[in-house]
Amino acid sequence: MTKPDSNTFQGVQTPIYIIEEEKLRRNLQLISDVAREADVEIILAFKAFALWKTFPIFREYIHATTASSLFEARLAYEQFGTPAHTYSPAYTDGEIAGVASLSSCLTFNSLSQYTRHVDKALLANPKLSVGLRVNPRYSEVGTLLYNPCAPGTRFGVTADKLPKQLPAHIEGFHCHCHCESGPDVLQRTLAHIERQFSGWFPQLKWLNLGGGHLMTRSDYDTHLLVDILKGLHERYPWLKIILEPGSAFAWQTGPLVASVVDVVEDAGIKTAILDVSFTCHMPDCLEMPYHPQVRFAECLDQLEEGDEATREPLVYRLGGNSCLSGDFMGYWRFARPLEVGDRVIFEDMIHYTTVKTTMFNGIGHPSIGMLKKDGELAILRKYVYKDYQNRMD
């Protein structure tokens, strides 16, 4: 292990994701405090963060996780050490027994999925608590790609399709409507959930409010969140309340450190080509889309091709190293001209990014490192050719 300069990461071999233990523990402590004060259970969603070598740290603060597939359920059971709270849009005949055996709670996306699989699930795990995802047809998520309640959504059952008496084994409702949202959004969403579904609450034991509660963001009002959840308890004291954020756990806990490998210019636009790829290593930037913060650079996200500022000497597009034509973003203004070997540090690249990477073009994954509290950099994983080859088996 080495002790790098955590500001510039000079001397660190790139590309590499670096998760910072001190920042991770800060988030975990805040989440643990909210859970205790509001008397709710807050669990880790693997779809946003699944670096299992950090689970010993997580277990100091939380007690359960949420899975969306058989593999994630196995990760929960085998590496976190507890059965998962599992939800999937569709379970298959061949996997339902395995998923159920690795889960404590299992949520069905539709009544037809429930009817098809519930008996097999309970046979595999008689202690299983069964839930149903519901859809209040209300979400303030602006980006359609991330909006789970958009018209025509494939997620959840609307109130008009539920029978007055729920099927025998359903003990909980799961409702996911948020994406990096504040507590005020939850407050407005709950009004819709309660108006449409509270008539069934006396038949339930738990209510899962899903993810997207970005309580570790610096401007998030955790006091309001606690008050909202306490109010929910007062209205329905028999319900166990569950939240399963993903981004909140790893929010602002570390960067993706890259290096410049070439600088090319066309039509007056300079592109710094890096040893990372947006499509392979930062796909949310292209999907959302959003411009990530780059350390020591000013993001000029309002610039468009043709603007005179794109031709300034210190303004660069940043380009990935894949063959996808659109594997670039721009523009950023740097303090000095970029040269081969210069570090480019993308901030906040741990949540979601680390679980969505691909090896398109055979491009290797960045290594994964942890910056320990004492300043030592421990390499958790370094990827090699075999990792790519095994994907092609």
Side-chain angles (χ1 to χ4, degrees):
M1 292 193 294
T2 59
K3 284 191 175 183
D5 181 339
S6 61
N7 195 37
T8 64
F9 293 107
Q10 288 298 323
V12 174
Q13 186 174 351
T14 65
I16 183 171
Y17 297 104
I18 298 178
I19 183 167
E20 301 181 43
E21 181 183 357
E22 190 170 357
K23 294 178 179 179
L24 177 63
R25 286 186 179 274
R26 178 194 61 202
N27 285 357
L28 286 163
Q29 187 62 61
L30 183 148
I31 290 168
S32 177
D33 290 344
V34 168
R36 184 185 66 257
E37 292 172 23
D39 189 24
V40 301
E41 184 172 26
I42 304 179
I43 61 181
L44 169 66
F46 285 161
K47 62 186 174 184
F49 183 90
L51 299 181
W52 59 268
K53 289 184 179 179
T54 66
F55 288 175
I57 296 174
F58 276 76
R59 286 196 296 266
E60 296 178 30
Y61 301 89
I62 65 169
H63 308 293
T65 59
T66 180
S68 304
S69 64
L70 176 59
F71 287 174
E72 285 189 346
R74 281 193 62 179
L75 192 70
Y77 194 85
E78 296 176 4
Q79 300 297 336
F80 200 87
T82 57
H85 293 237
T86 306
Y87 159 79
S88 173
Y91 302 105
T92 65
D93 293 340
E95 291 185 343
I96 184 62
V99 171
S101 68
L102 300 168
S103 304
S104 58
C105 297
L106 188 137
T107 298
F108 290 100
N109 185 60
S110 65
L111 289 168
S112 57
Q113 275 269 300
Y114 169 87
T115 301
R116 182 179 185 87
H117 294 304
V118 67
D119 289 341
K120 188 180 291 187
L122 289 170
L123 182 64
N125 183 1
K127 296 181 179 180
L128 191 67
S129 183
V130 175
L132 187 68
R133 179 161 177 168
V134 294
N135 175 8
R137 289 180 168 159
Y138 178 85
S139 174
E140 297 184 22
V141 178
T143 302
L144 194 61
L145 183 66
Y146 294 95
N147 187 340
C149 297
T153 181
R154 68 191 194 281
F155 296 134
V157 181
T158 52
D160 60 299
K161 294 183 175 67
L162 284 175
K164 289 184 179 180
Q165 181 62 44
L166 293 173
H169 300 293
I170 291 178
E171 297 182 341
F173 278 171
H174 174 119
C175 189
H176 176 64
C177 307
H178 303 98
C179 177
E180 298 186 358
S181 302
D184 56 320
V185 180
L186 173 62
Q187 195 166 41
R188 292 189 290 271
T189 304
L190 273 176
H192 290 263
I193 294 172
E194 291 181 66
R195 185 176 67 250
Q196 296 178 49
F197 297 104
S198 61
W200 286 280
F201 286 1
Q203 302 178 46
L204 304 178
K205 295 181 180 179
W206 52 266
L207 176 65
N208 186 327
L209 295 173
H213 311 279
L214 194 47
M215 60 191 76
T216 51
R217 189 176 59 202
S218 60
D219 62 347
Y220 192 100
D221 187 348
T222 55
H223 297 294
L224 176 56
L225 174 63
V226 170
D227 288 344
I228 291 168
L229 295 172
K230 283 183 175 179
L232 192 61
H233 271 308
E234 290 173 3
R235 294 191 294 278
Y236 315 103
W238 64 91
L239 286 181
K240 177 181 180 179
I241 307 300
I242 304 163
L243 281 72
E244 48 179 44
S247 295
F249 283 95
W251 183 258
Q252 296 287 351
T253 57
L256 171 58
V257 184
S259 294
V260 177
V261 294
D262 197 10
V263 178
V264 298
E265 184 172 345
D266 184 64
I269 296 172
K270 297 179 294 300
T271 301
I273 301 179
L274 310 176
D275 58 358
V276 296
S277 161
F278 286 99
T279 190
C280 294
H281 308 134
M282 296 172 280
D284 276 355
C285 294
L286 301 179
E287 292 175 0
M288 189 68 166
Y290 78 96
H291 287 71
Q293 183 181 349
V294 175
R295 195 174 298 183
F296 310 125
E298 176 190 2
C299 181
L300 307 175
D301 58 353
Q302 302 303 315
L303 284 186
E304 298 179 358
E305 290 188 30
D307 291 346
E308 192 60 33
T310 64
R311 291 164 172 77
E312 291 179 14
L314 301 180
V315 172
Y316 297 82
R317 283 194 323 197
L318 297 178
N321 57 346
S322 81
C323 292
L324 178 69
S325 298
D327 189 5
F328 69 87
M329 295 197 78
Y331 296 85
W332 284 264
R333 181 183 288 118
F334 288 80
R336 60 177 180 79
L338 290 180
E339 299 177 354
V340 172
D342 283 348
R343 293 288 185 268
V344 174
I345 303 172
F346 294 94
E347 305 284 16
D348 194 25
M349 282 294 162
I350 302 300
H351 58 93
Y352 275 104
T353 302
T354 52
V355 298
K356 295 180 74 171
T357 54
T358 73
M359 284 188 169
F360 170 63
N361 269 176
I363 295 172
H365 286 314
S367 299
I368 299 174
M370 172 174 280
L371 191 65
K372 309 290 283 185
K373 289 192 295 184
D374 63 4
E376 295 276 0
L377 179 63
I379 303 300
L380 303 182
R381 178 70 188 273
K382 188 175 179 64
Y383 293 89
V384 296
Y385 167 70
K386 276 290 184 183
D387 296 304
Y388 171 69
Q389 183 190 34
N390 289 343
R391 287 190 173 208
M392 302 298 106
D393 284 348

